[in-house]
Protein backbone atom coordinates (compact mmCIF):
# COMPACT_ATOMS: atom_id res chain seq x y z
CA UNK A 1 0.00 0.00 0.00
CA UNK A 2 1.06 3.57 -0.55
CA UNK A 3 1.85 5.65 2.49
CA UNK A 4 3.85 8.76 3.34
CA UNK A 5 4.86 9.53 6.89
CA UNK A 6 6.05 12.90 8.12
CA UNK A 7 6.70 12.28 11.77
CA UNK A 8 7.59 15.88 12.61
CA UNK A 9 4.36 17.77 13.16
CA UNK A 10 5.95 21.12 13.94
CA UNK A 11 9.49 22.48 13.93
CA UNK A 12 10.55 25.83 15.27
CA UNK A 13 13.96 27.30 14.49
CA UNK A 14 15.67 30.64 14.71
CA UNK A 15 16.51 32.40 11.50
CA UNK A 16 19.76 31.26 9.84
CA UNK A 17 19.61 27.82 11.42
CA UNK A 18 19.61 24.78 9.15
CA UNK A 19 16.58 22.53 9.36
CA UNK A 20 15.79 19.08 7.97
CA UNK A 21 12.28 17.84 7.30
CA UNK A 22 11.90 14.07 7.31
CA UNK A 23 9.81 11.99 4.93
CA UNK A 24 9.44 8.21 4.92
CA UNK A 25 7.40 6.45 2.27
CA UNK A 26 5.99 3.00 1.62
CA UNK A 27 5.37 1.52 -1.78
CA UNK A 28 5.47 -1.87 -3.46
CA UNK A 29 6.23 -0.48 -6.89
CA UNK A 30 9.73 -0.25 -8.27
CA UNK A 31 8.83 2.83 -10.29
CA UNK A 32 7.46 5.74 -8.32
CA UNK A 33 7.85 9.48 -7.87
CA UNK A 34 8.41 11.60 -4.80
CA UNK A 35 7.57 15.25 -4.35
CA UNK A 36 7.84 18.12 -1.92
CA UNK A 37 5.27 20.90 -1.85
CA UNK A 38 5.20 24.08 0.24
CA UNK A 39 1.95 25.51 1.56
CA UNK A 40 2.43 29.06 2.86
CA UNK A 41 -0.20 30.77 5.02
CA UNK A 42 -1.98 31.91 1.85
CA UNK A 43 -2.90 28.25 1.31
CA UNK A 44 -1.74 27.58 -2.24
CA UNK A 45 0.43 24.50 -2.68
CA UNK A 46 3.71 25.31 -4.38
CA UNK A 47 5.64 22.57 -6.17
CA UNK A 48 9.27 22.35 -5.04
CA UNK A 49 10.77 19.17 -6.45
CA UNK A 50 10.06 15.82 -8.10
CA UNK A 51 12.36 12.82 -7.85
CA UNK A 52 12.09 9.53 -9.79
CA UNK A 53 12.70 6.24 -8.02
CA UNK A 54 15.50 5.34 -10.40
CA UNK A 55 17.44 8.54 -9.75
CA UNK A 56 18.98 8.62 -6.29
CA UNK A 57 21.17 11.60 -6.96
CA UNK A 58 20.77 14.25 -4.31
CA UNK A 59 19.77 17.67 -5.48
CA UNK A 60 20.57 21.18 -4.38
CA UNK A 61 18.69 24.28 -5.38
CA UNK A 62 19.93 27.41 -3.67
CA UNK A 63 19.29 26.99 0.05
CA UNK A 64 17.22 23.84 -0.54
CA UNK A 65 18.61 20.33 -0.79
CA UNK A 66 17.03 16.90 -0.95
CA UNK A 67 18.44 13.57 0.18
CA UNK A 68 16.80 10.52 -1.43
CA UNK A 69 17.74 7.12 0.02
CA UNK A 70 15.92 4.08 -1.33
CA UNK A 71 17.56 1.81 1.23
CA UNK A 72 15.71 3.58 4.04
CA UNK A 73 12.71 4.71 1.94
CA UNK A 74 13.38 8.30 2.86
CA UNK A 75 13.28 11.57 0.98
CA UNK A 76 14.43 14.29 3.37
CA UNK A 77 14.44 18.00 2.72
CA UNK A 78 17.00 20.42 4.19
CA UNK A 79 16.78 24.19 4.25
CA UNK A 80 20.11 25.86 4.87
CA UNK A 81 20.28 29.23 6.60
CA UNK A 82 16.53 29.37 7.12
CA UNK A 83 14.62 32.61 6.64
CA UNK A 84 11.34 33.87 8.04
CA UNK A 85 9.80 33.51 4.56
CA UNK A 86 10.42 29.77 4.77
CA UNK A 87 7.69 29.53 7.41
CA UNK A 88 5.02 27.27 5.94
CA UNK A 89 3.66 23.76 5.99
CA UNK A 90 5.73 21.37 3.90
CA UNK A 91 4.25 18.24 2.38
CA UNK A 92 5.99 15.19 1.04
CA UNK A 93 4.03 13.20 -1.55
CA UNK A 94 4.27 9.92 -3.41
CA UNK A 95 2.90 8.78 -6.74
CA UNK A 96 3.12 5.25 -8.11
CA UNK A 97 1.69 6.19 -11.46
CA UNK A 98 1.23 9.23 -13.58
CA UNK A 99 -1.65 10.71 -11.67
CA UNK A 100 -2.79 10.90 -8.07
CA UNK A 101 -0.55 12.14 -5.31
CA UNK A 102 -0.49 10.56 -1.86
CA UNK A 103 0.46 13.22 0.66
CA UNK A 104 1.91 13.00 4.14
CA UNK A 105 0.30 14.93 6.95
CA UNK A 106 2.78 17.77 6.62
CA UNK A 107 5.37 19.47 8.80
CA UNK A 108 4.71 23.00 9.98
CA UNK A 109 7.94 25.00 9.98
CA UNK A 110 8.17 28.21 11.96
CA UNK A 111 11.26 30.33 11.45
CA UNK A 112 11.59 32.97 14.15
CA UNK A 113 13.53 36.17 13.57
CA UNK B 1 -2.24 35.24 -14.28
CA UNK B 2 -2.18 31.94 -16.14
CA UNK B 3 -2.25 29.61 -13.13
CA UNK B 4 -5.06 27.38 -11.89
CA UNK B 5 -8.01 29.38 -10.62
CA UNK B 6 -10.85 28.30 -8.35
CA UNK B 7 -14.15 29.94 -7.51
CA UNK B 8 -15.45 30.75 -5.07
CA UNK B 9 -12.53 31.04 -2.66
CA UNK B 10 -14.83 30.67 0.34
CA UNK B 11 -18.27 29.17 0.71
CA UNK B 12 -20.40 29.02 3.82
CA UNK B 13 -23.53 26.95 3.61
CA UNK B 14 -26.09 25.31 5.84
CA UNK B 15 -26.30 21.58 6.28
CA UNK B 16 -28.44 20.00 3.62
CA UNK B 17 -27.79 22.61 0.94
CA UNK B 18 -26.08 21.89 -2.38
CA UNK B 19 -22.88 23.63 -3.37
CA UNK B 20 -20.88 23.79 -6.58
CA UNK B 21 -17.26 24.75 -7.05
CA UNK B 22 -15.48 25.64 -10.26
CA UNK B 23 -11.89 25.04 -11.34
CA UNK B 24 -10.20 26.57 -14.37
CA UNK B 25 -6.96 24.75 -15.13
CA UNK B 26 -3.90 26.05 -16.92
CA UNK B 27 -5.10 26.36 -20.48
CA UNK B 28 -3.00 23.74 -22.25
CA UNK B 29 -3.24 21.16 -19.45
CA UNK B 30 -5.20 18.03 -20.28
CA UNK B 31 -5.39 16.51 -16.79
CA UNK B 32 -7.39 17.95 -13.93
CA UNK B 33 -7.48 16.67 -10.36
CA UNK B 34 -9.61 17.35 -7.29
CA UNK B 35 -8.30 16.93 -3.75
CA UNK B 36 -9.76 17.60 -0.32
CA UNK B 37 -7.75 18.92 2.60
CA UNK B 38 -9.01 18.98 6.17
CA UNK B 39 -7.38 20.97 8.95
CA UNK B 40 -3.96 19.68 9.90
CA UNK B 41 -3.89 17.02 7.19
CA UNK B 42 -2.39 16.64 3.76
CA UNK B 43 -4.58 16.78 0.66
CA UNK B 44 -6.47 13.60 -0.21
CA UNK B 45 -7.17 12.58 -3.79
CA UNK B 46 -10.82 12.67 -4.87
CA UNK B 47 -10.93 12.26 -8.63
CA UNK B 48 -9.20 13.14 -11.87
CA UNK B 49 -10.00 13.79 -15.52
CA UNK B 50 -8.05 13.27 -18.69
CA UNK B 51 -9.64 15.78 -21.05
CA UNK B 52 -13.39 15.30 -20.46
CA UNK B 53 -13.18 11.70 -19.25
CA UNK B 54 -13.33 11.02 -15.52
CA UNK B 55 -10.82 8.21 -15.10
CA UNK B 56 -10.75 7.53 -11.37
CA UNK B 57 -12.83 8.29 -8.31
CA UNK B 58 -11.66 7.80 -4.76
CA UNK B 59 -13.75 5.95 -2.21
CA UNK B 60 -13.87 9.31 -0.42
CA UNK B 61 -16.15 10.54 -3.16
CA UNK B 62 -19.55 9.48 -1.90
CA UNK B 63 -22.72 9.46 -4.00
CA UNK B 64 -23.39 13.02 -2.87
CA UNK B 65 -20.34 14.20 -4.78
CA UNK B 66 -20.21 14.61 -8.53
CA UNK B 67 -17.57 16.12 -10.76
CA UNK B 68 -17.69 17.08 -14.40
CA UNK B 69 -15.39 18.47 -17.01
CA UNK B 70 -17.80 18.91 -19.91
CA UNK B 71 -15.53 20.19 -22.65
CA UNK B 72 -12.18 19.17 -21.29
CA UNK B 73 -11.55 22.67 -20.00
CA UNK B 74 -12.99 23.87 -16.69
CA UNK B 75 -14.38 21.45 -14.12
CA UNK B 76 -17.12 21.62 -11.50
CA UNK B 77 -17.41 19.73 -8.24
CA UNK B 78 -20.89 19.53 -6.75
CA UNK B 79 -21.77 18.37 -3.26
CA UNK B 80 -25.41 17.58 -2.63
CA UNK B 81 -27.06 17.61 0.78
CA UNK B 82 -23.95 18.92 2.48
CA UNK B 83 -22.94 17.59 5.89
CA UNK B 84 -20.72 19.16 8.52
CA UNK B 85 -18.07 16.57 7.73
CA UNK B 86 -17.78 18.05 4.24
CA UNK B 87 -16.17 21.17 5.69
CA UNK B 88 -12.70 21.29 4.17
CA UNK B 89 -10.52 22.98 1.60
CA UNK B 90 -11.20 21.66 -1.90
CA UNK B 91 -8.14 21.88 -4.10
CA UNK B 92 -7.92 21.62 -7.84
CA UNK B 93 -4.73 20.84 -9.75
CA UNK B 94 -3.87 20.49 -13.40
CA UNK B 95 -1.05 18.98 -15.39
CA UNK B 96 0.13 18.42 -18.92
CA UNK B 97 0.89 14.82 -19.69
CA UNK B 98 4.37 14.79 -21.14
CA UNK B 99 6.60 11.76 -21.17
CA UNK B 100 6.50 9.57 -18.13
CA UNK B 101 5.35 12.13 -15.65
CA UNK B 102 3.71 15.46 -15.23
CA UNK B 103 3.90 18.00 -12.43
CA UNK B 104 0.61 19.00 -10.86
CA UNK B 105 0.03 22.70 -10.31
CA UNK B 106 -2.48 23.61 -7.66
CA UNK B 107 -5.06 26.35 -7.43
CA UNK B 108 -5.71 28.42 -4.29
CA UNK B 109 -8.56 26.18 -3.18
CA UNK B 110 -12.17 26.69 -2.14
CA UNK B 111 -12.74 26.63 1.60
CA UNK B 112 -16.14 25.14 2.44
CA UNK B 113 -17.76 25.63 5.82
CA UNK B 114 -20.95 23.72 6.51
CA UNK B 115 -22.90 25.06 9.46
Amino acid sequence: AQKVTQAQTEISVVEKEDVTLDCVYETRDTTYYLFWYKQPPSGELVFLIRRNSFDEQNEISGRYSWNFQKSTSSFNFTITASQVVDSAVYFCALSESSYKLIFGSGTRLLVRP
Amino acid sequence: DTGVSQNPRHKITKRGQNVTFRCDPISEHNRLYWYRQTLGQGPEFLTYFQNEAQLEKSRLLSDRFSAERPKGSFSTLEIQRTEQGDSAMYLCASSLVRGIYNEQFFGPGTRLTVL
Side-chain angles (χ1 to χ4, degrees), chain A residues 66-82:
Chain A
W66 291 269
N67 182 3
F68 176 30
Q69 292 195 334
K70 288 177 74 171
S71 60
T72 56
S73 298
S74 65
F75 185 43
N76 297 337
F77 173 30
T78 297
I79 302 174
T80 303
S82 60

Side-chain angles (χ1 to χ4, degrees), chain A residues 14-34:
Chain A
V14 176
E15 204 170 18
K16 298 184 183 177
E17 284 186 19
D18 298 347
V19 58
T20 295
L21 309 182
D22 298 334
C23 173
V24 174
Y25 62 92
E26 294 178 30
T27 177
R28 294 178 182 170
D29 281 16
T30 55
T31 300
Y32 52 89
Y33 306 87
L34 296 165

Side-chain angles (χ1 to χ4, degrees), chain A residues 1 15 24-25 35 38-39 41 54 58 60 70-71 73 80 88-90 95 103 108-109:
Chain A
E15 204 170 18
V24 174
Y25 62 92
F35 303 79
K38 174 182 180 179
Q39 189 172 44
F54 40 85
N58 292 327
I60 298 175
K70 288 177 74 171
S71 60
S73 298
T80 303
V89 180
Y90 291 86
S95 177
F103 285 87
R108 181 176 300 276
L109 174 64

